[in-house]
Amino acid sequence: MDKFVIEGGHKLSGRVKISGAKNSALALMPAVLLNNGINKFENIPEVNDIFTMIKLLKHLGVSANFENNSLELDSTNITNQDAPYEHVKKMRASVYVLGPLLARYGYSKVSMPGGCAWGPRPINLHLEALEKLGAQITLDGGDIIAKADRLHGANINFDISSVGATGNTIMAAVLAKGESKIQNAAIEPEIINLCEYLISMGARIDGVGTSTLTVDGVDELHASNGEIIGDRIEAGTLLIAGALTKSKIEIEYNNINHIETVLSKLKDSGAKISINNNIVELDSCNIDANAVHVATAIYPGFPTDMQAQWIAYMALASGTSKVTDNIYTDRFSHVPELIRLGASIEQVNNMAIIHGVKRLKGAKVMSTDLRASASLVLAGLVAEGKTEVLRIYHIDRGYEKIEHKLSQLGAQIERVKTTEF
Ligand code: EPU
């Protein structure tokens, strides 16, 4: 077990490069189950969720070679269509194999994901959409069993915009017989990345980037190569690190339009932002952050995956801010830990009310999920003295070499082995 030991109070400076988006990679990798051959991906982040997906794909018969952020997946010899509990319990995104396996092999058995650290995360929309495409779905001993001779096109209108359900449905519809219309589809950049990859495999998808997708099913798809977009959440997290520590930093990031909402909130807080091609400079030197409210929303709104980090930022802002999570209404496990560091936060239903304080003080805190851990690391960068962040296996799921990137910017952060849990 590892922990981070952070010595707060150091200014940051310099430039770091943003890694590939794990949430894009997790959507594109299972898409190889739709084809038969060698697929190469560039810009895959080396994080634990990617290793978990590789293990699952290997279990299904895919062979994998992962080196220097390049991943080769050979889908020629798929040997089974069963994603067991041991994989799914580690990572909910394992459910992404359901749609492609069903579409290609007419059968898929995937362990039903349970609740997560911040409450229920249902997959009813995935299952309802697959049923509309002609799947017979049963639940048996905690497993979802989906069967279909051949899926057929259908009209699917999601009640809620869901990244995962949209991804799964598209991956099923691309091999269905006939046309499918998917309405209220997610328009997150990771879904666009997935659609573009599927199109490169021979899929016919219209309306990419809009909430209405038309998929004209084809009989087969060929292997193809894909490039993972930059991680907008890592970009936002590191920019907040700069703003919180009142520093001037730069990030190298290719998809600046994906973080417009976060940049606009950072500007509202007083940070100076300048953009030059693929470099974003944030200058918060000597700037006391203003309190800025945020409410999470589907893309292009403020991402739920940045909510915890924004609360850490607002903990030291001048005034009171309100942070509302409309996507995951219970995602606030970082709040009591931030309070241990001296933050003044009340939680009312799905809203955190943050009364900015003058200082935080280092303490031992515990990570509870990926983005919560990021918020604790950020707070540790400004808390006086030493902060120890325990259970950082959560952060290792989704941030590539976070301590190296922060050290490169001048933070005092060290990974230490511990028996503490
Ligand atoms: N929802 C349902 N039924 C469903 C699916 C979703 O009611 O069948 C609801 C959810 O409860 C939630 C909303 O729809 O209120 C949106 O959830 P969505 O399905 O979009 O989330 P997801 O696909 O499970 C992805 C990311 C999450 C990110 C959310 C929201 C991946 C692998 N995960 O999850 O990322 O928070 O979209 O943007 O892409 C993270 O990286 O830390 C993370 C949790």
Side-chain angles (χ1 to χ4, degrees):
M1 185 82 51
D2 292 349
K3 65 180 175 184
F4 282 145
V5 179
I6 306 169
E7 187 64 44
H10 294 269
K11 292 256 184 248
L12 306 184
S13 66
R15 180 186 294 179
V16 280
K17 190 170 181 317
I18 299 306
S19 299
K22 73 130 177 123
N23 286 348
S24 257
L26 291 175
L28 270 71
M29 291 161 63
V32 307
L33 297 167
L34 292 163
N35 66 41
N36 187 341
I38 297 174
N39 303 265
K40 288 187 187 147
F41 297 97
E42 298 303 331
N43 206 27
I44 301 267
E46 287 187 17
V47 297
N48 284 346
D49 275 6
I50 298 298
F51 293 112
T52 303
M53 182 58 87
I54 291 175
K55 272 192 203 139
L56 171 58
L57 292 174
K58 280 186 168 168
H59 168 83
L60 301 173
V62 174
S63 51
N65 185 17
F66 187 26
E67 249 177 325
N68 299 325
N69 301 110
S70 294
L71 173 66
E72 191 176 283
L73 294 176
D74 183 349
S75 58
T76 314
N77 291 312
I78 302 303
T79 44
N80 83 70
Q81 290 80 34
D82 177 358
Y85 185 57
E86 62 176 288
H87 294 284
V88 181
K89 74 174 186 211
K90 281 199 193 130
M91 186 180 71
R92 301 176 57 82
S94 304
V95 80
Y96 266 137
V97 302
L98 182 63
L101 283 174
L102 174 67
R104 176 84 206 287
Y105 297 96
Y107 175 81
S108 175
K109 182 167 150 190
V110 175
S111 177
M112 178 92 169
C116 87
W118 66 80
R121 284 176 73 190
I123 59 157
N124 58 309
L125 299 173
H126 303 233
L127 303 183
E128 285 160 23
L130 294 176
E131 278 178 336
K132 285 218 162 120
L133 292 169
Q136 297 103 48
I137 296 188
T138 47
L139 187 65
D140 182 27
D143 294 323
I144 303 155
I145 299 170
K147 291 183 191 164
D149 289 338
R150 171 141 190 218
L151 296 174
H152 56 70
N155 281 339
I156 291 148
N157 192 341
F158 286 120
D159 289 338
I160 300 172
S161 170
S162 155
V163 175
T166 302
N168 237 332
T169 306
I170 302 170
M171 287 194 272
V174 287
L175 282 183
K177 190 167 175 54
E179 187 180 279
S180 298
K181 190 162 260 184
I182 307 174
Q183 281 167 315
N184 199 20
I187 58 167
E188 268 68 5
E190 295 76 20
I191 290 294
I192 299 177
N193 203 182
L194 171 65
C195 288
E196 286 171 351
Y197 176 58
L198 292 168
I199 290 169
S200 80
M201 283 168 44
R204 298 206 192 120
I205 309 172
D206 273 346
V208 174
T210 74
S211 57
T212 302
L213 298 171
T214 307
V215 182
D216 188 11
V218 295
D219 289 339
E220 58 179 19
L221 293 164
H222 54 80
S224 182
N225 300 333
E227 167 100 24
I228 303 302
I229 56 170
D231 192 324
R232 59 195 170 103
I233 307 302
E234 187 201 16
T237 304
L238 290 170
L239 288 172
I240 290 182
L244 189 55
T245 55
K246 300 189 184 180
S247 304
K248 183 168 156 182
I249 62 159
E250 290 176 348
I251 59 163
E252 191 182 330
Y253 174 57
N254 284 327
N255 310 97
I256 289 163
N257 56 326
H258 295 166
I259 55 168
E260 263 169 22
T261 311
V262 172
L263 291 180
S264 134
K265 290 290 178 184
L266 280 165
K267 282 184 203 161
D268 292 348
S269 75
K272 290 183 223 147
I273 304 280
S274 42
I275 296 169
N276 190 353
N277 295 318
N278 63 341
I279 305 294
V280 183
E281 182 194 87
L282 173 139
D283 184 353
S284 284
C285 292
N286 304 316
I287 293 174
D288 291 326
N290 306 314
V292 175
H293 306 319
V294 304
T296 67
I298 56 172
Y299 187 81
F302 192 91
T304 173
D305 293 343
M306 287 297 302
Q307 176 262 99
Q309 302 88 315
W310 194 262
I311 292 181
Y313 181 32
M314 290 297 104
L316 288 171
S318 322
T320 296
S321 52
K322 292 178 183 166
V323 174
T324 309
D325 200 324
N326 295 312
I327 307 290
Y328 293 119
T329 50
D330 293 331
R331 196 180 195 177
F332 289 101
S333 59
H334 39 288
V335 165
E337 299 300 303
L338 290 169
I339 291 172
R340 285 178 53 72
L341 295 171
S344 170
I345 308 173
E346 300 160 63
Q347 197 197 322
V348 181
N349 300 322
N350 64 332
M351 183 194 288
I353 303 167
I354 307 129
H355 307 285
V357 293
K358 291 271 174 262
R359 56 195 274 272
L360 298 179
K361 188 153 187 316
K364 268 188 194 175
V365 285
M366 195 170 73
S367 301
T368 43
D369 70 70
L370 172 58
R371 309 302 171 188
S373 357
S375 82
L376 299 177
V377 168
L378 291 174
L381 298 177
V382 280
E384 289 169 9
K386 187 166 85 173
T387 296
E388 295 188 25
V389 184
L390 302 175
R391 300 192 184 180
I392 57 169
Y393 55 84
H394 290 293
I395 209 164
D396 291 336
R397 289 184 59 175
Y399 284 89
E400 186 176 52
K401 305 185 180 91
I402 184 76
E403 74 273 32
H404 296 162
K405 290 191 184 186
L406 289 170
S407 303
Q408 201 182 322
L409 292 171
Q412 300 292 306
I413 174 168
E414 206 186 341
R415 180 182 290 264
V416 175
K417 290 256 170 272
T418 177
T419 50
E420 279 174 282
F421 187 63

